[in-house]
Amino acid sequence: MTHNPIHVFFHEDQLHHKPRYEWAFGKKLPHPETTTRADNILRAIRSDVSGFQVHAPVDFPLGYLREIHSSKLITLYRTARKLAPDVTYYPSVFPKRNHTFGDPNKIEHSGYFCFDSGTPLNHTTYNAAAWSAACAEAATRLILDGKEKLSYALCRPPGHHAARDLFGGYCYFNNAGLAAHLLGARGKVVILDIDFHHGNGTQSLYYRDPNVLFISIHGDPSVFYPFYWGFENEKGQGEGEGFNLNIPIPSGCDGQEYLRILRERVIPVIQAFQPAALVLSAGLDTYREDPIGKFCIDTPDYHPIGVELGRLGLPTVAIQEGGYCTKMLGANVTTLLRGLRDGQTSVFFPSTFPDLSKS
Ligand code: SP5
Ligand code: ZN
């Protein structure tokens, strides 16, 4: 069976942000969020010329970023542009919010806007992270226009740990949050986060919003990063209560078990919500040999996982999040995307978004 190619978005400037190390678990470690990750994904994508088409986003997304992030957070990244080229700034004082304030014009105050020591700033970070978000915007635009039913943003740096005015977890701008925000023009949106880590930033953006259902399947935060978010009892607040679903699972989860969780605990919830579109926060650090994640999913398993989600028959934007086994990252991403496409092809697909004026 022949398919239309999947449209992929990536901008070369995303490669200028190159953190070399992180501070984690009391150690200075080589930084896992490398440019090689993007190189290897692109290589796998380019080796299938009929399956994928790569585009560079053209619009710098500052206006849209202001709709989901505070102007102070954006100012801080712009302050970091003035750092000397050889300086990588690790925030080192993390005050408790209610006792103080942060001045985003001072790089020394960066810790006010940050929650970990693995997410440094340098003079290129703002530009790279903004182009990463631009990929999410361009991929979403294609879906919004009704031109395509599946698109992929090769977002790097990733985004799902970044909140409105807080960064961390290698993330600066919340790319999936931006996609959901834009898709909101068409109706209710579900964000499914399949990264190994809980998407605390995305959760916080939509915690009070009944029109965006956030679902995250992740390593149990009582053991794994980000430690302070991602528990089952976080269910949303106010009008958004009941529209946040955390599914923490023990380490060692394999493809079979993961599919079972999708079929029994995730798909029925999405179907009951009746969203107009799906944003998939696609982290591949669930892979069995990932150096950070501790699940046991094998490369071929990403196909049926994609099929299961594609069969929802929803216009879908896939957003790259984590995934640190660089050797297999390209194969894992392309297998997941082919699964999504094959799943969509196998079901009836309405040609347009539902007509909101009639509901
Ligand atoms: C987007 C995303 O997946 N962020 C994850 C951030 C996790 N950071 C804390 C884990 C640090 C583990 N570092 C181990 C390095 C092994 N070489
Ligand atoms: Zn992750």
Side-chain angles (χ1 to χ4, degrees), residues 160-161 195-197 285 322-324:
H160 73 148
H161 295 301
D195 188 280
F196 175 80
H197 304 98
D285 40 10
Y324 307 99

Side-chain angles (χ1 to χ4, degrees), residues 8-14 54-64 127 130-142 145:
V8 172
F9 291 86
F10 181 73
H11 193 288
E12 291 292 323
D13 282 11
Q14 292 171 247
V54 184
H55 314 270
V58 287
D59 298 317
F60 198 76
L62 185 56
Y64 293 112
N127 198 51
W131 281 117
S132 182
C135 292
E137 197 240 326
T140 305
R141 188 73 52 207
L142 216 57
D145 292 349

Side-chain angles (χ1 to χ4, degrees), residues 182-305:
L182 297 169
L183 286 165
R186 289 286 188 273
K188 293 191 292 182
V189 179
V190 59
I191 306 173
L192 175 62
D193 190 322
I194 60 170
D195 188 280
F196 175 80
H197 304 98
H198 175 245
N200 60 293
T202 318
Q203 165 171 302
S204 78
L205 289 178
Y206 294 107
Y207 209 58
R208 293 172 165 276
D209 190 339
N211 296 311
V212 176
L213 169 63
F214 177 71
I215 306 177
S216 181
I217 311 167
H218 48 265
D220 187 344
S222 59
V223 185
F224 297 110
Y225 186 94
F227 303 111
Y228 303 103
W229 301 279
F231 299 94
E232 249 170 317
N233 65 359
E234 297 159 25
K235 293 183 172 167
Q237 248 171 24
E239 285 183 17
E241 196 174 338
F243 298 97
N244 193 88
L245 174 60
N246 284 327
I247 307 181
I249 49 181
S251 55
C253 178
D254 65 7
Q256 287 265 335
E257 176 64 10
Y258 201 90
L259 269 175
R260 210 168 60 83
I261 291 165
L262 275 184
R263 287 182 185 134
E264 292 176 8
R265 300 174 65 185
V266 175
I267 302 289
V269 175
I270 296 177
Q271 283 168 336
F273 182 63
Q274 296 189 288
L278 165 67
V279 174
L280 183 66
S281 256
L284 281 299
D285 40 10
T286 52
Y287 176 56
R288 57 195 289 267
E289 290 185 57
D290 192 275
I292 301 182
K294 298 293 169 228
F295 288 167
C296 222
I297 295 177
D298 208 347
T299 303
D301 298 326
Y302 289 111
H303 190 270
I305 289 171

Side-chain angles (χ1 to χ4, degrees), residues 25 35 67 75 136 196 242 292 315:
F25 312 125
T35 53
E67 291 173 25
T75 300
F196 175 80
I292 301 182

Side-chain angles (χ1 to χ4, degrees), residues 334-355:
T334 50
T335 303
L336 177 70
L337 292 173
R338 288 186 189 110
L340 284 166
R341 181 199 57 196
D342 292 344
Q344 287 188 338
T345 311
S346 73
V347 292
F348 167 73
F349 210 101
S351 57
T352 55
F353 286 98
D355 186 346

